[in-house]
């Protein structure tokens, strides 16, 4: 059954300034809980983050969140977590790209900020739960444990970016939007009925701490000055040069600037990024087919699985599910795909599911590719 409470809870509602978190806070208050709104100031200079409605963490977003709290009739505060955010999310993001990996800052933020720094502070102040506008559900199992499940509407499901939460964190998490089959238009209509001015505010996109959406430019500012490197084909032949391996991601097709076509006339894709020798390897799309992977730093949404098992896996926030077999061996998760998948990169998260239940997540460390004309490749 879905998580319920026999008594009103003291709830801290994280309010980003967007429509989802505002409606979530309103629903929690309407359910009879004692709700307090909080906006997280995640930048020492909010104007260095996005302006308008393209992201979060701006002065405008803070004001939108405050106005929503006033309409709902709940207390509201702004908490400064800028230093923690810089260390745990922004610096980690840059370091991962520098190491040739592809991170997901939203997972990192949920793990380290919203359900660690924020939750710990909330519990210390006597709150029972943290409420967010994520689309996911917490289910109370028969044995009293909490489980994380997909949202009722798969089109809006955000359980992937919450797969880093452990059972303790789930016991203090509230997602009021997850168990309702409503479209985003209906959420906006509900916000309008409630008199919330954010009803028509566009959704945020991209990475909140990159002011203009130019990820490559953001990384170049911080990692620029690196030596120019080579772009190679699978045989090691030099095809061109690049200005920084950090500007590429596995599976990338555009922007390679190789200048001449492959012998077969087909497009080439980024297959490997090596920060050690500052090279980028490209090849045919078939070479992106991954048959297995290993993942580190597993986090379980409940009791860790024992022995091999069959699951479905999700590899990116808006990706589909794929069937896998997985086993935890000496702290490392080994995953084999029933059918090859493409575009899997070290640094991404693999999230395992048992039906709609989130089993847990881990960070991809290595991948194994199937045989191609150039042989077997791996990261």
């Amino acid at each position: 059954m879905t998580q319920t409470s026999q008594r009103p809870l003291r709830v801290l509602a994280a309010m980003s300034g967007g429509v989802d978190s505002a409606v979530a806070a309103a629903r929690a208050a309407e359910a009879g809980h004692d709700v307090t709104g909080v906006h997280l100031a995640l930048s020492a200079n909010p104007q260095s983050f996005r302006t308008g409605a393209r992201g979060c963490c701006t002065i405008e977003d803070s004001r939108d969140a405050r106005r929503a709290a006033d309409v709902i009739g709940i207390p509201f505060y702004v908490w400064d977590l800028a230093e923690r955010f810089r260390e745990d999310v922004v610096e980690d993001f840059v370091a991962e790209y520098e190491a040739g990996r592809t991170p997901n800052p939203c997972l990192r933020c949920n793990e380290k900020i919203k359900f660690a720094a924020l939750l710990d502070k909330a519990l210390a102040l006597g709150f029972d739960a943290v409420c967010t506008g994520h689309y996911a559900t917490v289910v109370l199992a028969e044995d009293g444990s909490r489980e994380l499940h997909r949202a009722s509407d798969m089109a809006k499901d955000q359980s992937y970016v919450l797969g880093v939460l452990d059972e303790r964190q789930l016991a203090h998490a509230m997602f009021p939007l997850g168990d309702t089959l409503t479209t985003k238009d209906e959420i906006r209509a509900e916000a309008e009925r409630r008199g919330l001015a954010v009803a028509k505010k566009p959704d945020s996109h991209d990475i909140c701490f990159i002011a203009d959406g130019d990820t490559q430019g953001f990384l170049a500012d911080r990692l620029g000055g690196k030596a120019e490197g080579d772009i190679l084909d699978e045989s090691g032949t030099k095809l061109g040069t690049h200005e920084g391996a950090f500007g590429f991601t596995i599976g990338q097709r555009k922007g390679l600037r190789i200048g001449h076509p492959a012998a077969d006339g087909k497009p080439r894709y980024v297959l490997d990024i090596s920060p050690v020798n500052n090279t980028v390897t490209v090849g045919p799309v078939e070479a992106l087919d991954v048959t297995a992977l290993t993942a580190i730093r597993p986090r379980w949404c409940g009791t860790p699985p024992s022995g091999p098992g069959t699951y479905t896996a999700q590899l990116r926030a808006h990706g589909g599910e794929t069937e896998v077999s997985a086993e935890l061996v000496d702290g490392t998760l080994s995953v084999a795909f029933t059918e090859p998948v493409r575009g899997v990169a070290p640094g991404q998260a693999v999230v395992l599911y048992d039906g709609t239940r989130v089993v847990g997540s881990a960070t991809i460390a290595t991948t194994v590719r199937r045989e191609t004309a150039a042989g077997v490749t791996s990261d």
Side-chain angles (χ1 to χ4, degrees):
M1 60 180 177
T2 55
Q3 179 177 315
T4 59
S5 175
Q6 299 300 317
R7 62 178 178 86
L9 302 177
R10 287 197 68 204
V11 175
L12 187 69
M15 303 181 70
S16 66
V19 63
D20 290 329
S21 60
V23 171
R27 288 186 178 185
E30 190 174 64
H33 299 300
D34 179 8
V35 180
T36 296
V38 63
H39 179 80
L40 303 183
L42 300 180
S43 173
N45 176 16
Q47 294 191 12
S48 70
F49 281 15
R50 292 192 189 281
T51 58
R54 288 196 60 196
C56 63
C57 317
T58 66
I59 292 174
E60 178 187 337
D61 292 315
S62 175
R63 291 169 179 165
D64 287 343
R66 183 179 296 278
R67 284 191 288 265
D70 288 344
V71 171
I72 298 168
I74 59 176
F76 178 83
Y77 300 91
V78 175
W79 286 0
D80 184 359
L81 293 179
E83 184 64 20
R84 181 75 180 265
F85 184 78
R86 180 185 63 79
E87 294 176 355
D88 289 342
V89 179
V90 180
E91 290 184 359
D92 174 79
F93 177 84
V94 174
E96 286 292 282
Y97 266 102
E98 186 175 25
R101 296 185 287 266
T102 305
N104 187 314
C106 292
L107 273 86
R108 189 72 171 175
C109 184
N110 285 330
E111 176 187 357
K112 296 293 186 178
I113 305 300
K114 294 177 183 174
F115 291 95
L118 176 63
L119 178 58
D120 289 347
K121 188 172 182 178
L123 295 177
L125 291 173
F127 288 94
D128 300 302
V130 165
C131 164
T132 73
H134 287 101
Y135 289 86
T137 58
V138 177
V139 171
L140 183 62
E142 293 183 359
D143 62 1
S145 63
R146 262 75 173 182
E147 298 176 351
L148 178 65
H149 284 250
R150 288 193 181 277
S152 299
D153 183 358
M154 276 290 292
K156 297 197 297 291
D157 176 64
Q158 293 176 304
S159 61
Y160 173 84
V161 296
L162 297 169
V164 290
L165 304 186
D166 59 28
E167 188 176 345
R168 170 187 169 274
Q169 293 168 324
L170 290 175
H172 300 285
M174 180 181 290
F175 307 121
L177 305 187
D179 59 357
T180 53
L181 283 170
T182 54
T183 66
K184 191 58 178 277
D185 286 342
E186 289 171 321
I187 292 292
R188 293 190 182 282
E190 178 179 338
E192 193 162 10
R193 290 195 303 271
R194 293 180 181 276
L196 300 172
V198 293
K200 296 180 180 180
K201 185 175 180 178
D203 290 338
S204 60
H205 296 287
D206 304 321
I207 300 168
C208 72
F209 54 83
I210 298 182
D212 57 3
D214 180 8
T215 300
Q216 188 166 342
F218 175 87
L219 292 169
D221 287 342
R222 288 151 181 81
L223 300 174
K226 303 293 182 181
E228 184 179 82
D230 295 333
I231 299 177
L232 312 174
D233 65 15
E234 290 180 283
S235 67
T237 301
K238 181 177 175 179
L239 303 178
T241 60
H242 63 76
E243 298 175 354
F246 57 82
F248 298 85
T249 56
I250 301 297
Q252 178 178 334
R253 173 185 174 183
K254 297 181 178 179
L256 301 183
R257 300 194 301 275
I258 297 173
H260 50 84
D264 60 7
K266 295 181 180 179
R268 282 169 289 197
Y269 299 76
V270 174
L271 305 180
D272 184 58
I273 302 163
S274 176
V276 176
N277 54 17
N278 200 26
T279 59
V280 174
T281 302
V282 300
V285 68
E286 300 82 28
L288 288 170
D289 286 349
V290 169
T291 59
L293 61 81
T294 63
I296 57 176
R297 298 193 297 274
R299 291 180 62 87
W300 306 108
C301 301
T303 304
S306 59
T310 301
Y311 308 94
T312 57
Q314 188 170 329
L315 299 162
R316 53 185 62 86
H318 303 292
E321 292 180 293
T322 184
E323 292 185 358
V324 300
S325 59
E327 183 176 10
L328 185 66
V329 180
D330 296 329
T332 298
L333 185 67
S334 296
V335 178
F337 297 98
T338 302
E339 297 290 338
V341 296
R342 287 180 178 170
V344 183
Q348 292 176 325
V350 53
V351 178
L352 299 182
Y353 291 83
D354 181 7
T356 63
R357 180 175 69 87
V358 182
V359 178
S361 70
T363 302
I364 299 171
T366 63
T367 62
V368 177
R369 300 198 184 108
R370 70 176 181 179
E371 288 190 25
T372 65
V376 178
T377 61
S378 63
D379 297 306

